[in-house]
Amino acid sequence: MKEKTILKLKLNSDPRWADLASKNLEEILVDHAYCEQKAASTGISLIVHYPEKERLVDELTALVAEEWEHFDRVVKELRKRNLPLGRPRRDEYVVQLMAHVRKGGSRERQLMDQLLVSSLIEARSCERFKLLWLHLQDRDPELSQFYYELMASEAGHFVSYVDLAKEYCDPATVDARLQELLKIEGEIVVSLPVRDDRMH
């Protein structure tokens, strides 16, 4: 998968991250579990705030179910390793990205920003899952396969969020805003320290 063309990311992750993360799987799995929980919660929140948008409700209902299934799978991976779920952590990457959802204006513009930010989180998760898939092939083949399976799902979520934005807003406006947010996302990734205990 060529992240820069398929997922549109402006910048790939620091290659040091995968090596560090693959050596600290307890923390990575805990953080990953909460990333899936938050992704499901985001989908539910969008459904609650935009119940009149039928395609959004239908597609995000399916997406939420998939994200929760992923949460369950990550918890099972923790259990297999006799590791506790632990406490949720602050995701500075998501916090900084969400700060660029514009307040005010039309509901459609707010929805567009929320959908596009969600799409970028899914894209970055997909890229990180690919790195773990590759780095764990020799060290933990079973977990490597697990991340391979989830990688494709996250790519699909990226596409779904962008398509929904274009359903409810002018596609040219969506494309322009996506480019703006992609640039911002890359700047956030560069600014954050490389940590072995965070998925993002």
Side-chain angles (χ1 to χ4, degrees), residues 150-162:
L150 266 59
M151 178 178 67
S153 176
E154 301 298 284
H157 294 170
F158 164 78
V159 172
S160 294
Y161 274 121
V162 174

Side-chain angles (χ1 to χ4, degrees), residues 25-26 37 44 63 74 118 129 146 156 169 178 180:
L25 290 176
E26 175 179 359
Q37 177 265 314
I44 292 170
L63 185 147
V74 179
S118 294
F129 291 172
F146 171 75
C169 298
L178 179 58
E180 292 174 0

Side-chain angles (χ1 to χ4, degrees), residues 179-192:
Q179 289 305 310
E180 292 174 0
L181 289 171
L182 279 163
K183 182 175 182 295
I184 290 167
E185 195 270 351
E187 292 168 351
I188 291 171
V189 168
V190 169
S191 72
L192 292 173

Side-chain angles (χ1 to χ4, degrees), residues 1-3 126-134 151:
M1 180 181 294
K2 297 179 181 179
E3 289 84 5
C126 178
E127 188 238 11
R128 294 281 169 105
F129 291 172
K130 179 182 179 182
L131 292 175
L132 287 174
W133 162 53
L134 293 171
M151 178 178 67

Side-chain angles (χ1 to χ4, degrees), residues 135-170:
H135 275 74
L136 292 171
Q137 286 179 352
D138 295 328
R139 184 172 302 162
D140 193 329
E142 185 179 347
L143 195 59
S144 172
Q145 179 63 26
F146 171 75
Y147 278 112
Y148 177 80
E149 293 168 9
L150 266 59
M151 178 178 67
S153 176
E154 301 298 284
H157 294 170
F158 164 78
V159 172
S160 294
Y161 274 121
V162 174
D163 284 351
L164 282 172
K166 291 181 177 181
E167 172 79 11
Y168 299 112
C169 298
D170 172 61

Side-chain angles (χ1 to χ4, degrees), residues 13-48:
S13 292
D14 188 315
R16 293 176 297 167
W17 176 82
D19 185 56
L20 292 170
S22 66
K23 295 173 183 175
N24 193 18
L25 290 176
E26 175 179 359
E27 296 295 334
I28 286 297
L29 284 168
V30 170
D31 195 57
H32 180 188
Y34 282 111
C35 287
E36 299 291 357
Q37 177 265 314
K38 291 168 190 172
S41 298
T42 295
I44 292 170
S45 177
L46 286 166
I47 290 169
V48 170

Side-chain angles (χ1 to χ4, degrees), residues 4-15:
K4 287 186 178 180
T5 56
I6 295 175
L7 301 176
K8 314 298 185 187
L9 295 173
K10 298 292 187 186
L11 183 76
N12 288 332
S13 292
D14 188 315

